Amino acid sequence: MLLEEFDALPEAEALALVRTCADVPWWAAAVVAARPYASVADLHAHAGVQALAWGPRDVAQALADHPRIGDRHRRPGATAAMSAREQAGVDATDTDVAARLAAGNARYERRFGRVFLVRAAGRSSAEILALLEQRLTHDHATEAEVTAQQLREIAALRLAGLVTAPTDAAGPGATPAPRPAPGHVA
């Protein structure tokens, strides 16, 4: 939807939309409360700054709405569709990949007590498996921060896919969607 449409949504609809990006109620409320936005870039910047304040409880709540890598979302709906698109690079028909992901997910959950979360969009099964193995070497504090960063990246990409500027605009509202930080190693 266009920024103008987002700005005009009733509050409850806007909140529901933003919560599909990350199920962090106070964050969604802060993003919605700052409407109207002068540009899509302003929306993304505000959402990004707010996301920097996510604490462990916020991350845990948001993680509850994410399936394991290689699994389907538990409930149908907008979040399930986003997750399926994001995990499109994971070859679910490759039994070796599926077995390695299942084993890696189980090791990760035993070690850290939460689901393994990675920005899967644009990554292949091999890249995701390599990141999973690498992240299993992290200490708890490092992994908590990496998980939060991955969640912020997912939320930013989802928001960029939901709220856009007119394609024919040449002004400040026509800025490209935010991209994950270059060189970020998860």
Side-chain angles (χ1 to χ4, degrees):
M1 85 178 41
L2 296 177
L3 178 63
E4 295 77 18
E5 295 169 308
F6 173 71
D7 283 341
L9 280 177
E11 183 177 0
E13 288 179 40
L15 283 169
L17 182 75
V18 175
R19 284 183 71 173
T20 64
C21 300
D23 191 14
V24 179
W26 71 261
W27 172 77
V31 171
V32 170
R35 298 179 304 163
Y37 289 95
S39 68
V40 171
D42 287 347
L43 165 63
H44 295 299
H46 181 72
V49 167
Q50 295 300 310
L52 290 173
W54 289 344
R57 284 187 180 164
D58 301 316
V59 172
Q61 179 168 345
L63 284 177
D65 194 39
H66 283 269
R68 289 179 181 96
I69 294 292
D71 287 355
R72 292 189 184 276
H73 202 281
R74 295 179 302 277
R75 295 170 304 220
T79 305
M82 289 177 188
S83 180
R85 279 191 304 275
E86 292 160 359
Q87 291 195 39
V90 177
D91 185 0
T93 64
D94 184 330
T95 55
D96 179 55
V97 167
R100 290 175 61 202
L101 280 173
N105 280 328
R107 285 194 334 262
Y108 184 93
E109 289 172 21
R110 279 192 306 274
R111 177 156 166 71
F112 295 110
R114 64 179 167 266
V115 69
F116 169 68
L117 182 79
V118 65
R119 178 193 46 79
R123 290 184 168 146
S124 68
S125 297
E127 290 172 298
I128 292 169
L129 283 166
L131 286 170
L132 175 56
E133 290 298 326
Q134 188 253 333
R135 286 177 52 190
L136 281 164
T137 68
H138 288 168
D139 61 63
H140 285 271
T142 300
E143 184 54 25
E145 180 49 41
V146 171
T147 300
Q149 178 58 33
Q150 292 296 294
L151 184 61
R152 287 190 286 271
E153 289 180 18
I154 291 166
L157 289 171
R158 287 180 174 185
L159 187 59
L162 291 173
V163 182
T164 61
T167 56
D168 60 344
T175 57
R179 301 184 60 90
H184 176 75
V185 177

